[in-house]
Amino acid sequence: MEETLQEQRTIVILGMHRSGTSAITRVINYLGVDLGPSLLSDSEDNETGFWEHTEIVQLNEWLLQISGSCWEDVCLLPAEWWRSEAIVPIKQAMIEIIKKDFSMSPLWAIKDPRICRVLPVWHSIFTEISVIPLYLIVVRDPREIASSLMKRNSFTLEKSYLLWVTYMFEAERWTRGHNRVFISYKDLLDDWREVVEIIENSMQIQWPVRKLEIEHKIDDFLDPALRHHKTTQNLKESDLNIDIRLAQVVCGLYRALTAECEWSKGKSRSALSEYFDEVIVTKQNLLNKTCRKIVSSPDQQHLENTTKMIAAYFNSLNKEVTLIIPTRSREDETIVFIEDMVEKMKSTNTEVIILHDCTRNHETKINLKQLAERLNIDIIDYEIPFDITVLDRPKVKYINIIMHNYPYGHLAMLARYGNISFIPSDYGTIIFITFGKE
């Protein structure tokens, strides 16, 4: 396979979670833009699909976790976090995914709101593999986003608005000087034809599929009824029900972003970059103070202590313990992966155990338990912390624990005390965290 992907271009869709990034991603996919072979399944909170590459989403979250953050962290990442040696294997795994899934695609796209937070790594990836990035930034009324996050995640208004500010700040900051276009989610629903024309002209690309061939599919897909949270009045600081100083930042930012969307349509230029710079200078203390109030958790220290205890137990065993985390989450792929893993371990002194979060899908719990019975291996229901004494198996030298739906945060904490690697396979990128290895 080629070491670089010459003359390729990728559209990188950016924006806060719940901002309409899924909708525009599916639209450009209808227009012939490749999204890759492994996409996240839809869910109750996004019934028309996320249109996100499963492995890339998982590795973006790992980038955040390894850097001491996560997707819902309202605080900025540490200075020059992307220069950490811990980032290198994740970055290399991402490069391998792109080469594997997009090597034959002249125009492809990736969409994951987390990319807003980890753009420095993606810039270096695109440079290394000679791919030209084109940034598409989606803007939605922050009130609609806050309402959606409150329903789905039970976030407070203050946290939701601060998250929105953080994501949009990072998206603007790291795309300066690059080919980028801002679009409004409202405009997409009102007249998607105009929006895709704006994107095509601004990015100087040609859609692989003509609009006339698929416009009926896009019309059916962009059902206005799926916009569950809709505002009709202009945004005012008094509408937000949060600290007035934070409300001023939110409203000012939204006005600047809206002006940028209007400029994309050929109207007057906004002073977006200047506004962001002003916010960082004049409002940083306010934002930091609000961040500290939101992230302070009495359970955090307990979780860290528990994780440290589990890692110490792993390392104290007279055997090698490996946590195995598939980055593809589809049940059928996981079952085939487990079957293959058990078959390969038959001739070795290795025991395979499944650790699974069974709380989210009862049917998956039944299927995995039936699989474990058929393969004669153990399956442990996920708890925090799980009962580590079940690993006291004196007759085996190696234990492989396949982690399914285990929270990233706990795994990232465990990774601090073990050896972590990211290995490409027929089942996507597999993450290994090994303890007790000499």
Side-chain angles (χ1 to χ4, degrees), residues 141-194:
D141 189 313
R143 291 171 295 180
E144 297 177 4
I145 294 174
S147 297
S148 182
L149 289 172
M150 179 179 290
K151 180 180 179 180
R152 189 187 74 168
N153 301 94
S154 301
F155 288 171
T156 64
L157 288 175
E158 194 171 49
K159 177 173 181 175
S160 295
Y161 286 124
L162 194 54
L163 267 176
W164 179 79
V165 168
T166 303
Y167 271 74
M168 300 312 293
F169 167 77
E170 298 275 33
E172 193 285 325
R173 176 189 183 190
W174 296 116
T175 58
R176 290 187 194 180
H178 294 269
N179 188 327
R180 69 182 186 181
V181 59
F182 291 78
I183 66 161
S184 160
Y185 177 55
K186 179 180 180 300
D187 289 343
L188 178 69
L189 297 182
D190 289 344
D191 187 352
W192 66 263
R193 291 167 180 81
E194 180 186 24

Side-chain angles (χ1 to χ4, degrees), residues 300-325:
Q300 184 66 19
Q301 188 61 50
H302 173 70
L303 177 59
E304 291 182 0
N305 290 339
T306 301
T307 302
K308 188 174 182 178
M309 179 191 70
I310 293 173
Y313 180 80
F314 286 163
N315 283 319
S316 70
L317 296 172
N318 189 27
K319 55 179 59 67
E320 185 176 299
V321 178
T322 303
L323 308 183
I324 304 173
I325 307 104

Side-chain angles (χ1 to χ4, degrees), residues 208-318:
V209 176
R210 294 173 64 245
K211 292 194 289 290
L212 287 176
E213 296 177 24
I214 44 77
E215 60 181 3
H216 63 287
K217 293 182 179 180
I218 298 178
D219 286 334
D220 291 341
F221 171 72
L222 291 176
D223 183 356
L226 294 175
R227 188 181 178 188
H228 302 302
H229 305 279
K230 183 177 181 180
T231 55
T232 57
Q233 298 179 339
N234 291 333
L235 181 63
K236 296 182 294 185
E237 296 164 3
S238 57
D239 294 337
L240 304 184
N241 298 315
I242 55 176
D243 183 290
I244 185 61
R245 295 168 299 174
L246 179 57
Q248 290 171 347
V249 173
V250 172
C251 290
L253 173 55
Y254 182 59
R255 283 192 291 268
L257 288 168
T258 301
E260 195 74 12
C261 293
E262 291 299 307
W263 179 81
S264 296
K265 293 190 288 187
K267 300 182 181 179
S268 60
R269 180 80 192 188
S270 74
L272 180 62
S273 298
E274 291 81 354
Y275 178 79
F276 271 93
D277 291 340
E278 179 185 348
V279 168
I280 287 302
V281 171
T282 63
K283 303 293 185 180
Q284 194 60 55
N285 288 337
L286 164 67
L287 296 177
N288 287 340
K289 182 178 179 181
T290 310
C291 288
R292 285 193 296 271
K293 182 173 68 174
I294 290 175
V295 301
S296 58
S297 168
D299 297 327
Q300 184 66 19
Q301 188 61 50
H302 173 70
L303 177 59
E304 291 182 0
N305 290 339
T306 301
T307 302
K308 188 174 182 178
M309 179 191 70
I310 293 173
Y313 180 80
F314 286 163
N315 283 319
S316 70
L317 296 172
N318 189 27

